Amino acid sequence: MPVPEALADQAARLREQLQHHAHRYYVLDAPEIPDAEYDRLFQELQAIEARHPELRTPDSPTQRVIGQVLDGLVAVRHALPMLSIRTETDTSAAGAVAFDARVRRELQLGDDAPALDYNAELKFDGLAINLRYEDGVLVQATTRGDGETGEDVTHNVRTIGQIPLKLRGRAPALIEVRGEAYMRRDDFERLNELQRARGGKTFINPRNTAAGAIRQLDPKALADKKLSFFAYGVGDTRGWEQPATHSGTLDAIAAFGVPVNADRRVVQGADGLVAFHQAIAAKRDALPFDIDGVVYKVDEVALQKRLGFVTREPRWAVAHKYPAQEQLTRLNGIEIQVGRTGKLTPVAKLAPVFVGGTTVSNATLHNVFELRRKGVRIGDTVVVRRAGDVIPEVVGRVPGERAVYVPNFRMPRDCPVCGSRVLREKGGIDHRCTGGLFCAAQRKQAILHFAGRRAMDIEGLGDKLVEQLVDAGIVESLPDLYRLEVADLAALDRMAEKSAGNLVAALQKSRRTTLARFLYALGIRQVGETTAKDLAKHFGSLDRVMAATEPQLLEVDDVGPVVAQSIRTFFEQPHNREVVGQLRAASIEWDEHDGEADLSPKPLAGKTFVLTGTLPTLSRDQAKEMIEAAGGKVAGSVSKKTHYVVAGAEAGSKLDKARELGIELLDEGGLLTLLG
Ligand code: IVH
């Protein structure tokens, strides 16, 4: 069948595009499009080549791994090539079934032959690194490069705390440990927070940041970029008897002291693979780092040898992907959201796009300075990222000419909700509405915060209802809530008598609360739940909190000058004192003695806990609540003052720190025992 000319042109164009993007990605570490878009182009070319093999040129990106050595870093030829893995792009269970069927066919196993053992593991989204240990000492670290030749990045890898400079135990004459250097999501968020505070450029995603950091010429450039590492295999070895299975090999690597991820399992047959794929999909968002899929490997090394390779990909391994956490979409507009404290946030209105498991049509742009730095304008094609429980974010735009001129976005001079003047503190980055509780947006947010589960816990008082109550002028300030009657509510649109009754009952119930909850509910800037609890405990009564001077406030645990000043400023405002007075008049009450309404025993009084990792059954919030209900305190970091560290799966540096300081470790069972 002759090849239509248009198709030949299309293939040539795709090759060029892919080469361009592969160069940006592999060599420059500055991709212009998300991986999912690259994969789509790649698959398009693959499909054309499959139908018309004569279009398959030797330089097609489908025929080799691209990536050249940058000037500046020294090229190193790998003792054994660093392979890549075939990707099963069907993200449904079918991908796992197809792999198992292929392996069984290659091994000529009949239908009645038993299920094969596979080692299933995570596909980390970072940068592949080869660690060469001679007599147990790290002598060289290299990137993968094009698979044959990589770059020497020993100077940077040595700064990664997780990578041992010396192996534990009896190390062989030579072992190359292969794995992925990556950046944890929290380390990435922290870095971007720091960049925002400094007014610097924020980074797109953890993968690019990690890859860029590793290939820096100057290790000092890594200072704020904390990297991590997981091993997933071995390269060249000498004087080492490799275990008979891949899972055993990973155990051996872990015993040498190199990090190996715990979410790995030996499973049987296609069913086992599918179950693993699903189990990991369910916890993907909760993982502390990005993964883009899982990897299945035939567990038995002898079978791996029998299966061998096709070009650069082993027949015994496959990557099975998940839906991408970054996507391209169109920026249709920019709206301003006014928050509880009056902060104006530009929000991107997007053409709806499926990313990270949900459809996203709004994403934060943080502030006008960041928006400018990203150079995003209405009409642009932008990259949207949604990973873990982090709110969706526009991380950048796809470079290219704009067909029409679009002016740069400007913050409004007046609040779009109440018309009050918008101001920015000198040197600050946030714009704020000066309308205070006069501003309906701030009032709505203040009411929602007040009603929140962790504040006054007024069940049924959600977004929509607050919107209606404020817009109809029924609720103008917090105390108005306690004047609501069933008749007022039932008059509202879509409000049935029964739900009106429920809300009034919920308001009634909320009157009995704790001092800590009440303080938190007031929405004082800088006063979160923990500070509110500390204040309640320290002062014991609202009058004393309201009368406290700054020096007195500074005596409270964890209260610094900024927080102390914010509390003072709040209670100095006549309007706020009036609101508090009216709320008390509405017979809101609490036990003034310990700030807690219930007087249950407090077995953990005076004890400080730190939680790390994922517990088998309790969520972080649940564990925290239980500890606090028993009188204990939960802190964010481990110090000499910590009494217990409760560690779950994937516990990280906090666990190491606890061990270092000799602090008592508990698992979930231990915690529950302690709680009685
Ligand atoms: S095994 C012979 N295992 O994915 C197989 N790779 O395209 C060699 N990756 O370059 C790789 N997690 O950077 C393997 N658990 C895992 C992995 C993994 C991430 C990366 C690695 C490699 C690429 C393969």
Side-chain angles (χ1 to χ4, degrees):
M1 182 174 55
V3 182
E5 206 179 307
L7 208 58
D9 287 348
Q10 166 92 348
R13 207 162 44 241
L14 283 167
R15 270 198 304 273
E16 237 172 66
Q17 273 180 304
L18 285 164
Q19 273 157 357
H20 168 76
H21 290 304
H23 177 76
R24 300 281 313 180
Y25 184 90
Y26 284 107
V27 182
L28 303 180
D29 284 320
E32 292 169 345
I33 56 172
D35 297 3
E37 183 66 9
Y38 182 89
D39 288 350
R40 199 187 58 72
L41 296 171
F42 194 89
Q43 282 155 28
E44 200 178 318
L45 179 59
Q46 257 182 336
I48 296 175
E49 289 175 345
R51 265 180 290 139
H52 300 283
E54 58 276 39
L55 289 180
R56 196 174 280 156
T57 60
D59 71 346
S60 170
T62 62
Q63 300 304 296
R64 68 188 173 102
V65 185
I66 304 185
Q68 297 150 28
V69 175
L70 271 186
D71 298 333
L73 292 177
V74 177
V76 177
R77 206 177 160 75
H78 296 303
L80 284 179
M82 286 184 81
L83 303 164
S84 83
I85 351 180
R86 174 182 168 137
T87 302
E88 194 58 69
T89 45
D90 188 336
T91 54
S92 74
V97 176
F99 171 63
D100 179 55
R102 217 161 46 232
V103 169
R104 293 181 72 90
R105 199 166 51 239
E106 294 286 348
L107 291 174
Q108 293 172 336
L109 295 178
D111 288 347
D112 45 357
L116 284 170
D117 275 355
Y118 294 103
N119 188 70
E121 51 200 74
L122 304 183
K123 186 167 192 304
F124 314 105
D125 205 5
L127 177 75
I129 297 286
N130 185 66
L131 302 173
R132 192 177 168 91
Y133 289 93
E134 288 175 6
D135 295 319
V137 177
L138 178 68
V139 294
Q140 193 172 54
T142 44
T143 63
R144 187 175 89 168
D146 65 1
E148 294 291 337
T149 306
E151 293 160 331
D152 189 325
V153 288
T154 317
H155 59 300
N156 288 335
V157 166
R158 287 180 69 92
T159 69
I160 303 178
Q162 284 200 326
I163 295 181
L165 298 179
K166 191 172 189 306
L167 297 179
R168 288 155 63 118
R170 284 233 329 258
L174 167 69
I175 184 167
E176 289 182 343
V177 176
R178 289 177 174 179
E180 198 89 346
Y182 67 95
M183 187 178 258
R184 290 169 54 97
R185 286 179 191 150
D186 53 1
D187 290 327
F188 174 72
E189 295 302 327
R190 214 169 293 138
L191 173 66
N192 269 352
E193 281 305 320
L194 197 69
Q195 289 296 101
R196 282 187 195 111
R198 286 176 180 155
K201 208 169 152 57
T202 49
F203 293 90
I204 300 272
N205 59 33
R207 198 219 80 92
N208 295 349
T209 314
I214 286 272
R215 298 168 73 247
Q216 292 277 352
L217 293 174
D218 178 4
K220 277 208 281 304
L222 266 77
D224 305 317
K225 305 194 183 83
K226 186 167 170 259
L227 301 180
S228 305
F229 182 86
F230 280 131
Y232 51 63
V234 291
D236 201 9
T237 64
R238 205 172 54 240
W240 187 56
E241 200 168 321
Q242 186 182 351
T245 57
H246 178 66
S247 49
T249 304
L250 293 182
D251 292 340
I253 296 173
F256 284 137
V258 186
V260 175
N261 182 258
D263 273 317
R264 59 188 169 105
R265 209 178 309 155
V266 176
V267 301
Q268 280 74 44
D271 292 348
L273 298 178
V274 171
F276 185 80
H277 190 256
Q278 286 169 356
I280 298 299
K283 67 187 280 194
R284 182 187 186 192
D285 271 2
L287 292 174
F289 46 83
D290 283 0
I291 57 169
D292 56 351
V294 290
V295 179
Y296 311 135
K297 297 171 184 171
V298 170
D299 199 34
E300 207 168 309
V301 177
L303 289 182
Q304 292 183 355
K305 293 205 168 114
R306 251 174 73 192
L307 285 157
F309 304 87
V310 233
T311 54
R312 292 197 170 279
E313 296 168 349
R315 286 199 191 82
W316 45 264
V318 79
H320 195 183
K321 292 249 192 175
Y322 290 123
Q325 291 175 319
E326 277 177 29
Q327 288 291 354
L328 293 186
T329 192
R330 198 186 116 97
L331 177 64
N332 286 334
I334 298 174
E335 274 182 11
I336 296 294
Q337 220 170 53
V338 183
R340 177 166 63 84
T341 60
K343 182 181 161 193
L344 271 58
T345 305
V347 176
K349 295 291 173 183
L350 304 166
V353 63
F354 190 73
V355 52
T358 52
T359 302
V360 170
S361 42
N362 296 316
T364 182
L365 287 160
H366 295 287
N367 61 59
V368 74
F369 297 99
E370 200 168 312
L371 202 162
R372 295 258 173 84
R373 271 195 301 275
K374 286 174 181 160
V376 181
R377 300 198 192 179
I378 294 167
D380 282 348
T381 300
V382 295
V383 181
V384 181
R385 173 176 159 87
R386 184 191 171 276
D389 47 15
V390 177
I391 50 171
E393 200 183 358
V394 169
V395 290
R397 69 180 282 261
V398 179
E401 295 287 312
R402 292 182 175 102
V404 289
Y405 173 75
V406 181
N408 226 332
F409 175 81
R410 303 183 72 99
M411 272 298 190
R413 292 183 43 198
D414 301 324
C415 172
V417 177
C418 72
S420 301
R421 243 347 247 280
V422 168
L423 288 181
R424 177 167 64 90
E425 269 171 43
K426 222 173 158 204
I429 48 175
D430 292 330
H431 287 75
R432 278 177 206 282
C433 161
T434 52
L437 289 181
F438 169 74
C439 176
Q442 292 182 56
R443 221 175 319 144
K444 286 174 191 169
Q445 293 302 319
I447 295 170
L448 277 172
H449 174 80
F450 183 81
R453 200 170 54 81
R454 294 156 163 280
M456 300 298 282
D457 195 17
I458 306 173
E459 217 175 300
L461 190 56
D463 277 4
K464 293 266 149 40
L465 187 53
V466 169
E467 186 99 33
Q468 280 181 307
L469 289 169
V470 172
D471 290 345
I474 300 177
V475 172
E476 295 200 318
S477 69
L478 297 174
D480 288 346
L481 287 172
Y482 291 97
R483 298 183 194 116
L484 287 174
E485 288 177 15
V486 175
D488 304 326
L489 291 163
L492 292 173
D493 223 25
R494 277 183 312 230
M495 171 67 88
E497 186 118 357
K498 183 159 170 278
S499 25
N502 287 344
L503 182 65
V504 171
L507 279 159
Q508 177 60 27
K509 193 172 143 211
S510 78
R511 284 185 155 101
R512 180 100 188 107
T513 186
T514 67
L515 176 55
R517 277 174 175 270
F518 182 77
L519 280 170
Y520 173 61
L522 290 175
I524 307 168
R525 263 170 81 183
Q526 312 287 347
V527 177
E529 240 187 318
T530 313
T531 307
K533 283 179 187 157
D534 289 342
L535 288 169
K537 203 146 128 207
H538 185 92
F539 292 104
S541 88
L542 182 61
D543 290 327
R544 262 175 267 156
V545 178
M546 288 175 73
T549 61
E550 278 190 40
Q552 286 167 337
L553 287 164
L554 285 170
E555 284 168 23
V556 182
D557 271 6
D558 294 332
V559 170
V562 177
V563 183
Q565 203 198 0
S566 170
I567 298 168
R568 271 314 319 139
T569 312
F570 182 90
F571 287 116
E572 272 163 14
Q573 309 283 319
H575 170 80
N576 290 335
R577 299 184 80 90
E578 196 181 312
V579 165
V580 171
Q582 289 183 17
L583 285 170
R584 287 175 109 175
S587 67
I588 291 180
E589 48 179 32
W590 53 82
D591 193 318
E592 293 254 308
H593 300 294
D594 63 354
E596 294 288 327
D598 58 346
L599 292 167
S600 50
K602 303 271 182 268
L604 302 186
K607 300 287 183 220
T608 302
F609 290 72
V610 170
L611 302 169
T612 175
T614 315
L615 299 177
T617 69
L618 293 175
S619 74
R620 275 264 166 118
D621 276 353
Q622 285 170 328
K624 185 165 180 245
E625 236 160 67
M626 289 167 82
I627 292 168
E628 288 176 348
K633 222 181 118 158
V634 177
S637 56
V638 179
S639 72
K640 274 184 284 188
K641 292 190 200 153
T642 311
H643 296 97
Y644 300 98
V645 168
V646 185
E650 298 294 337
S653 56
K654 289 180 194 169
L655 181 57
D656 302 337
K657 184 88 189 279
R659 290 207 173 107
E660 209 175 281
L661 296 176
I663 287 159
E664 186 165 340
L665 297 175
L666 297 174
D667 57 8
E668 186 180 291
L671 172 64
L672 294 172
T673 313
L674 210 61
L675 286 162

